[in-house]
C-alpha cells in the first residue's frame, strides 16, 4: 500500500507539471495532452485486467512517443520522465526478451525524435539514453530473478508446511494408536485377571464366610475400577495442561505460516493445573497467537511460560507490532480478560515501541468456590 501511494504521488505530480506546462503554451496543447493523458492513465490502471501485461504498457509508450513528436520541445522533459516511469513499471511486468526489444525501440525512437527536435543529439544525450536503457534492462533482469526466487521460496514453504502438517498428524495418529494398544492390553490382561481373581474370592467367601475374603474382594473391586478408569483415560485423545499448549503450538505451526518461539522456564512442567485452569490457559494462548497472526507485523510469535515467586503460572505472548494507531479492546481481548478474571487471574496488555505484549498469571492450586471464601 505504501509503494502504491508513492507511485501514485509521482505520477500525479508528473501529470500536474505536464498539464501546467501545456496550459502555459496554448489551449490546444493543454486539451490534447489532457485527452491523451486520460487514455494513458486508463491503460495504466487497467493493467491488472489484461492477461498479457505488455499490451497496455506498449500502448502507453507508443502514445507518449507520438505526443513527443507532435508537441515539440515544450513538453519534451516531462514526456521523457513519463517514459522512464512507465518503462520502470513495464520492467516488472514483462519478460526479459520482450523488454529488451522495447528498450531498443524506445532508444531508437527517442534518438530519432531528439534529432528532429534538436537538429542533432549531443553525446551527453546519447550517453544518457544508453545509461537509462542499461539500467532499465538490469532492473528487469533483477526483477525476473527475484520473481523466480520468490516462486521457489513459496514452493519450498508450501512443501515444508505440507510435510510438517503430515508429520504432526502421523505423530498424533501414532500416539493415539499406542495409547489404544496400551488400553487394550490393560483391559485384556490386567482387567480379565482381576475379574477372575474377584470371582475366585467370591467363591471362597460363599463357602467359608470369612471377613478376610470379603476384604480381599472389596480391594479387588477397587483395583478393577481403577484399572477401568486408567483405560478410559488412555482412550481419551484430548491433552491437558502444558501438553495441550505444546500440541496447540505444533498444530498452528503446521497449518499456518507462523513461527512460534515457545519457552518454558524452570518449574513449569511440574505445575498441576485443574481442568478449568488448563482450559483458561489454552484459550488465552490460542487467542494470543490468533491475534498475532491477524495484526502482527511479522509471522513470529514469542511465548514464555513461567512460575511466579508465589507459585502462580505466568505467560507472556510477544509479537512485532509497528502500527502507529493504538490497539483497542476487541471481542478477542475482552474474552481473554473475562476468562482470566473468572479464573481469579490477571491479564495485562502492553503496546510498546514496535511490540505488542500480553502478560497474564493464573493462581495454581487455588480453587475459588465463592468470592466470599478464602482460597485454599
Amino acid at each position: 500500500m505504501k509503494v502504491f501511494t508513492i507511485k501514485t504521488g509521482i505520477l500525479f505530480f508528473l501529470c500536474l507539471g505536464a498539464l501546467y506546462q501545456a496550459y502555459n503554451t496554448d489551449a490546444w496543447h493543454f486539451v490534447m495532452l489532457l485527452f491523451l493523458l486520460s487514455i494513458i492513465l486508463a491503460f495504466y490502471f487497467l493493467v491488472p485486467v489484461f492477461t498479457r501485461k505488455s499490451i497496455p504498457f506498449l500502448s502507453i509508450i507508443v502514445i507518449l512517443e507520438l505526443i513527443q513528436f507532435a508537441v515539440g520541445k515544450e513538453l519534451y522533459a516531462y514526456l521523457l520522465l513519463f517514459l522512464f516511469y512507465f518503462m520502470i513499471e513495464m520492467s516488472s511486468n514483462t519478460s526479459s526478451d520482450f523488454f529488451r526489444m522495447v528498450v531498443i525501440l524506445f532508444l531508437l525512437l527517442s534518438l530519432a525524435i531528439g534529432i528532429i527536435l534538436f537538429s542533432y543529439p549531443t553525446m551527453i544525450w546519447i550517453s544518457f539514453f544508453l545509461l537509462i536503457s542499461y539500467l532499465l534492462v538490469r532492473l528487469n533482469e533483477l526483477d525476473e530473478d527475484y520473481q523466480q526466487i520468490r516462486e521457489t521460496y513459496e514452493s519450498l514453504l508450501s512443501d515444508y508446511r505440507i510435510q510438517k502438517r503430515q508429520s504432526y498428524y502421523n505423530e498424533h495418529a501414532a500416539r493415539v494408536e499406542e495409547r489404544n494398544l496400551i488400553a487394550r492390553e490393560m483391559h485384556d490382561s490386567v482387567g480379565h485377571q482381576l475379574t477372575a481373581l474377584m470371582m475366585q474370592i467370591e467363591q471362597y467367601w460363599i463357602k467359608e464366610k470369612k471377613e478376610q475374603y470379603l476384604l480381599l474382594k472389596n480391594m479387588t473391586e477397587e483395583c478393577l475400577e481403577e484399572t477401568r478408569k486408567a483405560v478410559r483415560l488412555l482412550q481419551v485423545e484430548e491433552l491437558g495442561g502444558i501438553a495441550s499448549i505444546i500440541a496447540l503450538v505444533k498444530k498452528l505451526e503446521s497449518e499456518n505460516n507462523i513461527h512460534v518461539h515457545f519457552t518454558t522456564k524452570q518449574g513449569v512442567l511440574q505445575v498441576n493445573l485443574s481442568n478449568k485452569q488448563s482450559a483458561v490457559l489454552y484459550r488465552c494462548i490460542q487467542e494470543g497467537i490468533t491475534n498475532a497472526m491477524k495484526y502482527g507485523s511479522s509471522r513470529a510469535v514469542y511465548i514464555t511460560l513461567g512460575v511466579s515467586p508465589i507459585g502462580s503460572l505466568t505467560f507472556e505472548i510477544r509479537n512485532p507490532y509497528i502500527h502507529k494507531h493504538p490497539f483497542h479492546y476487541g471481542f478477542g481481548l475482552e474474552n481473554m480478560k473475562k476468562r482470566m478474571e473468572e479464573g481469579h487471574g490477571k491479564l495485562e496488555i502492553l503496546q510498546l515501541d514496535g511490540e505488542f505484549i500480553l502478560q497474564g498469571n493464573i493462581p495454581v492450586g487455588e480453587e475459588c468456590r465463592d468470592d466470599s471464601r478464602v482460597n485454599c
Side-chain angles (χ1 to χ4, degrees), residues 40 43 53-68 79 82-91 94 98-99 101-103 105-107 109-110 113 136:
I40 289 172
F43 272 118
K53 310 297 183 186
S54 57
I55 295 175
F57 283 112
L58 197 57
S59 302
I60 290 171
I61 291 171
V62 170
I63 293 173
L64 285 172
E65 294 286 2
L66 292 175
I67 296 174
Q68 274 189 330
L79 294 175
F82 271 115
L83 276 169
F84 294 149
Y85 176 86
F86 287 114
M87 291 289 286
I88 292 172
E89 287 292 292
M90 187 180 182
S91 68
T94 55
F98 180 81
F99 185 71
M101 294 174 58
V102 174
V103 168
L105 178 64
F106 156 74
L107 180 62
L109 286 175
S110 297
I113 293 172
L136 290 173

Side-chain angles (χ1 to χ4, degrees), residues 227-286:
T227 303
R228 288 171 177 169
K229 287 181 181 179
V231 169
R232 285 195 293 269
L233 287 175
L234 283 172
Q235 291 176 334
V236 174
E237 296 183 11
E238 293 295 328
L239 301 175
I242 307 302
S244 65
I245 306 301
I246 297 174
L248 172 66
V249 169
K250 293 175 67 176
K251 182 175 184 294
L252 290 177
E253 274 199 332
S254 65
E255 295 180 352
N256 303 277
N257 183 20
I258 188 170
H259 305 288
V260 181
H261 303 264
F262 186 70
T263 305
T264 57
K265 295 185 178 180
Q266 184 177 3
V268 171
L269 299 179
Q270 282 74 39
V271 171
N272 187 19
L273 296 174
S274 66
N275 292 335
K276 183 177 180 180
Q277 290 167 339
S278 296
V280 170
L281 179 63
Y282 184 92
R283 295 304 178 190
C284 287
I285 298 294
Q286 185 182 42

Side-chain angles (χ1 to χ4, degrees), residues 56-253:
F57 283 112
L58 197 57
S59 302
I60 290 171
I61 291 171
V62 170
I63 293 173
L64 285 172
E65 294 286 2
L66 292 175
I67 296 174
Q68 274 189 330
F69 184 77
V71 171
K73 301 178 181 179
E74 292 81 5
L75 299 174
Y76 188 73
Y78 281 106
L79 294 175
L80 270 182
L81 292 174
F82 271 115
L83 276 169
F84 294 149
Y85 176 86
F86 287 114
M87 291 289 286
I88 292 172
E89 287 292 292
M90 187 180 182
S91 68
S92 60
N93 289 275
T94 55
S95 62
S96 297
D97 294 335
F98 180 81
F99 185 71
R100 289 192 187 97
M101 294 174 58
V102 174
V103 168
I104 294 172
L105 178 64
F106 156 74
L107 180 62
L108 294 175
L109 286 175
S110 297
L111 289 175
I113 293 172
I115 293 173
I116 294 170
L117 294 180
F118 302 104
S119 299
Y120 65 93
T122 63
M123 293 301 295
I124 295 177
W125 274 106
I126 293 175
S127 302
F128 175 74
F129 280 124
L130 289 173
L131 178 61
I132 291 297
S133 301
Y134 172 74
L135 291 176
L136 290 173
V137 171
R138 287 296 298 154
L139 180 64
N140 176 257
E141 291 175 351
L142 291 174
D143 187 75
E144 194 170 58
D145 292 341
Y146 170 76
Q147 291 297 333
Q148 291 178 355
I149 293 172
R150 185 69 184 177
E151 290 174 1
T152 304
Y153 169 76
E154 293 291 343
S155 176
L156 291 174
L157 180 62
S158 177
D159 292 341
Y160 166 75
R161 291 175 60 188
I162 291 173
Q163 292 296 330
K164 193 169 185 179
R165 188 183 301 115
Q166 189 63 41
S167 174
Y168 169 77
Y169 285 121
N170 289 342
E171 181 184 348
H172 179 72
R175 186 169 60 248
V176 171
E177 183 178 358
E178 184 178 0
R179 288 160 64 94
N180 289 335
L181 179 62
I182 295 172
R184 284 196 299 269
E185 289 295 329
M186 289 180 63
H187 178 269
D188 294 341
S189 59
V190 180
H192 288 174
Q193 291 293 334
L194 288 174
T195 302
L197 177 61
M198 189 172 62
M199 292 176 64
Q200 289 291 332
I201 295 172
E202 179 76 17
Q203 291 178 3
Y204 287 127
W205 183 76
I206 292 174
K207 291 179 180 178
E208 301 185 16
K209 299 293 182 178
K210 292 183 179 180
E211 292 295 328
Q212 291 86 348
Y213 291 137
L214 185 59
L215 179 62
L216 289 173
K217 177 187 173 185
N218 292 334
M219 291 175 62
T220 307
E221 287 180 347
E222 290 178 4
C223 187
L224 181 60
E225 184 61 30
E226 290 296 326
T227 303
R228 288 171 177 169
K229 287 181 181 179
V231 169
R232 285 195 293 269
L233 287 175
L234 283 172
Q235 291 176 334
V236 174
E237 296 183 11
E238 293 295 328
L239 301 175
I242 307 302
S244 65
I245 306 301
I246 297 174
L248 172 66
V249 169
K250 293 175 67 176
K251 182 175 184 294
L252 290 177
E253 274 199 332

